[in-house]
């Protein structure tokens, strides 16, 4: 009997970290309304993917929780991270990129807005490359490779 | 396609075939939906279905062969690099031990289970199904030709079985979902098989008959396997479950 691909359930509309199937890298994603799927890109063509247990999905908290964590370590840091969050959210980046930037900043204890946004953009780019590889596999026969 | 020992290695051809089955599945559904002028959301759902089926196949294979998913994904894309070729072979051997067929055929059957049979059938053997018939028939012509003996256990045969498994699994799924009556399904299967294997003018009746028997034996191995049916049912459930799932649009802005 084949091994079963279990699907885990997380809080609907929460944030989670999972492995990207094609790259193996961790990524911050948004859990869907069902709690059993996620989206990882903020574009109109984003697909919902199942939250497979083998991808090691872990609840990632939320921006408020990250800021409380920062404040718990150092109250002044908490204020500075809150200001950083406001600057990131005021940028022209999409919602997921803003979240990833703030997540990166709080995990790395960095107040460098540009570095945080750059790390977030890199994660989005990695996901887009994985998606392009996936679509490339799906589209290859149409071009006569097989 | 080349199985005559030209510049393309057998591994490259095999990987091209395995990836191609899913690709054709997604492309056919896209074409069908586009032709019917359905709204964009439906086209996106069809694309999502292809992605979910592909990811499932990658993760299931990774689980079975105890390799990281990214390694399996890489083997789907290119087998020319030496260590990737080794992974491909290890994966193929493990899948063959478990299912009795090659991964190409397994993926074909799973993709068929995940497809919407109404996307394949536009009138009797019309629409995208006729494209599948044409491709399969070209393979049969090659394999049943007087000089095709050496190819009968090669990548073209695997591609033929994978394609037949895809269509048969798609028709089975159509019955399971109530989109086809059992009698319609039988008729469609018979028409498809006949169109693929029927001999041309005076050419190789015996060889085609033998090829049909051996091909369909492999197709039945995979489509009637309880393991494959269980995996297919899981893919079915996932496709149904995620077709309507979403994150509120406002949250993404």
């Amino acid at each position: 009997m084949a091994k079963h691909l279990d699907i885990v359930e997380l809080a609907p509309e929460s944030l989670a970290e999972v492995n990207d199937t094609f790259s193996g890298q961790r990524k911050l994603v948004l859990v869907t309304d069902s709690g059993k799927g996620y989206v990882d890109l903020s574009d109109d063509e984003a697909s919902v993917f199942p939250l497979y247990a083998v991808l090691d999905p872990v609840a990632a908290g939320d921006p408020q929780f990250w800021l409380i964590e920062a404040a718990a370590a150092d109250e002044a840091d908490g204020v500075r991270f809150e200001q950083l969050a406001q600057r990131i959210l005021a940028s022209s980046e999409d919602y997921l990129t803003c979240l990833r930037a703030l997540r990166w900043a709080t995990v790395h204890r960095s107040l460098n807005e540009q570095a945080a946004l750059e790390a977030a953009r890199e994660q989005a780019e990695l996901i887009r490359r994985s998606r392009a590889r996936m679509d490339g596999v799906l589209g290859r026969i149409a071009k006569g490779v097989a | 396609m080349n199985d005559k020992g030209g510049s393309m290695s057998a591994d490259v051809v095999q990987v091209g075939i395995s990836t191609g089955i899913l690709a054709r599945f997604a492309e056919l559904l896209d074409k069908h939906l586009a032709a019917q002028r359905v709204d964009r959301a439906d086209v996106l759902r069809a694309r999502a279905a292809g992605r979910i089926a592909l990811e499932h196949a990658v993760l299931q294979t990774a689980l079975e062969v105890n390799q990281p998913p990214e390694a399996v994904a890489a083997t789907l894309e290119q087998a020319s690099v030496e260590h990737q070729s080794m992974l491909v072979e290890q994966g193929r051997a493990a899948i063959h031990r478990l299912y009795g067929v090659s991964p190409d055929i397994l993926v074909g059957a799973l993709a068929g289970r995940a497809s919407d049979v109404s996307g394949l059938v536009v009138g009797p053997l019309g629409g995208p199904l006729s494209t599948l018939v044409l491709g399969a028939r070209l393979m049969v012509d090659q394999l049943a030709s007087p000089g095709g003996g050496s190819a009968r256990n090669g990548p073209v045969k695997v591609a033929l079985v994978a394609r037949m498994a895809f269509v048969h699994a798609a028709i089975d799924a159509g019955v399971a979902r109530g989109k086809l009556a059992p009698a319609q399904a039988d008729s469609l299967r018979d028409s498809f098989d006949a169109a693929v294997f029927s001999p041309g003018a005076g050419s190789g009746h015996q060889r085609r008959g033998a090829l049909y028997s051996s091909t369909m034996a492999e197709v039945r191995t995979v489509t009637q396997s309880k393991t494959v049916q269980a995996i297919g049912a899981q893919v079915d459930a996932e496709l149904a479950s995620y077709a309507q799932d979403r994150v509120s649009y406002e949250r993404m802005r």
Side-chain angles (χ1 to χ4, degrees):
Chain A
M1 189 67 189
K3 296 167 186 170
H4 195 70
L5 275 178
D6 292 321
I7 291 172
V8 302
E9 188 166 353
L10 297 176
E13 300 196 350
S14 63
L15 295 169
E17 285 183 336
V18 301
N19 291 340
D20 183 86
T21 298
F22 268 58
S23 72
Q25 301 293 308
R26 296 291 281 173
K27 59 187 178 185
L28 185 72
V29 301
L30 273 170
V31 178
T32 54
D33 294 346
S34 72
K36 296 178 181 176
Y38 72 84
V39 293
D40 55 13
L41 288 173
S42 294
D43 60 42
D44 293 341
E45 298 194 1
S47 295
V48 174
F49 289 94
L51 275 171
Y52 292 114
V54 292
L55 298 177
D56 196 19
V58 175
D62 57 44
Q64 193 176 9
F65 174 75
W66 303 336
L67 293 174
I68 289 170
E69 267 192 332
D74 181 321
E75 196 172 334
D77 266 5
V79 173
R80 283 192 285 267
F81 273 114
E82 192 164 348
Q83 291 167 344
L84 175 70
Q86 285 167 355
R87 290 199 301 278
I88 288 173
L89 286 168
S91 72
S92 58
E93 299 293 341
D94 63 62
Y95 181 61
L96 262 172
T97 301
C98 290
L99 285 171
R100 286 174 180 142
L102 186 59
R103 180 65 170 155
W104 184 91
T106 51
V107 166
H108 290 85
R109 309 291 300 166
S110 169
L111 291 162
N112 186 330
E113 176 187 344
Q114 288 311 312
L117 284 169
E118 190 54 37
R121 289 186 200 112
E122 277 177 20
Q123 191 172 123
E125 185 53 32
L126 179 143
I127 293 165
R128 284 194 191 94
R129 279 201 299 271
S130 285
R131 200 59 30 80
R133 289 171 63 194
M134 185 176 264
D135 290 346
V137 169
L138 288 166
R140 195 173 302 167
I141 197 169
K143 294 173 186 165
V145 172
Chain B
M1 191 168 295
N2 177 2
D3 73 331
K4 293 180 178 174
S7 60
M8 191 180 287
S9 74
D11 278 338
V12 172
V13 174
Q14 290 242 0
V15 169
I17 291 163
S18 68
T19 57
I21 292 296
L22 277 168
R24 193 174 295 284
F25 153 63
E27 192 206 21
L28 292 182
L29 287 185
D30 264 359
K31 275 185 180 172
H32 174 73
L33 292 169
Q36 297 220 332
R37 298 184 183 179
V38 295
D39 66 31
R40 183 158 180 73
D42 281 345
V43 175
L44 294 179
R45 269 198 289 278
R47 182 178 303 169
R51 288 171 173 174
I52 286 177
L54 174 62
E55 184 181 51
H56 191 108
V58 168
L59 293 176
Q60 187 75 48
T61 304
L63 203 60
E64 302 295 355
V65 301
N66 198 27
Q67 289 176 358
E70 61 269 26
V72 173
T75 62
L76 276 175
E77 291 184 291
Q78 51 178 328
S80 54
V81 181
E82 197 175 327
H83 79 277
Q84 287 181 341
S85 296
M86 189 179 70
L87 290 177
V88 168
E89 283 315 310
Q90 288 173 349
R92 283 182 192 289
I95 291 288
H96 203 280
R97 278 197 301 276
L98 276 163
Y99 302 107
V101 295
S102 82
D104 315 80
I105 296 165
L106 174 66
V107 169
L110 290 178
R113 278 295 305 248
S115 77
D116 181 347
V117 73
S118 64
L120 297 174
V121 184
V122 184
L125 293 188
L129 202 56
S130 64
T131 309
L132 287 170
V133 168
L134 182 63
R137 190 170 171 82
L138 288 172
M139 294 176 203
V140 169
D141 287 345
Q142 184 178 346
L143 293 168
S145 67
S150 61
R152 279 173 212 144
N153 292 315
V156 176
K157 174 70 183 299
V158 172
L160 174 64
V161 178
R163 186 163 296 196
M164 298 303 292
F166 172 83
V167 172
H168 278 248
I171 293 171
D172 290 346
V175 174
R177 292 173 196 154
K179 291 189 172 183
L180 283 177
Q184 280 179 297
D186 289 343
S187 168
L188 192 57
R189 267 190 224 98
D190 290 347
S191 302
F192 184 80
D193 293 354
V196 170
F197 287 94
S198 64
S203 63
H205 287 257
Q206 263 191 332
R207 284 190 296 272
R208 282 171 191 270
L211 183 62
Y212 174 74
S213 297
S214 66
T215 300
M216 296 317 295
E218 287 191 71
V219 168
R220 281 191 292 275
T221 296
V222 67
T223 57
Q224 294 178 8
S225 153
K226 285 184 179 172
T227 303
V228 170
Q229 286 180 4
I231 294 171
Q234 192 182 355
V235 173
D236 261 358
E238 286 168 11
L239 293 177
S241 170
Y242 295 103
Q244 303 298 328
D245 200 10
R246 64 182 62 202
V247 171
S248 303
Y249 186 75
E250 292 71 22
R251 295 194 69 229
M252 302 291 286
R253 291 292 175 272

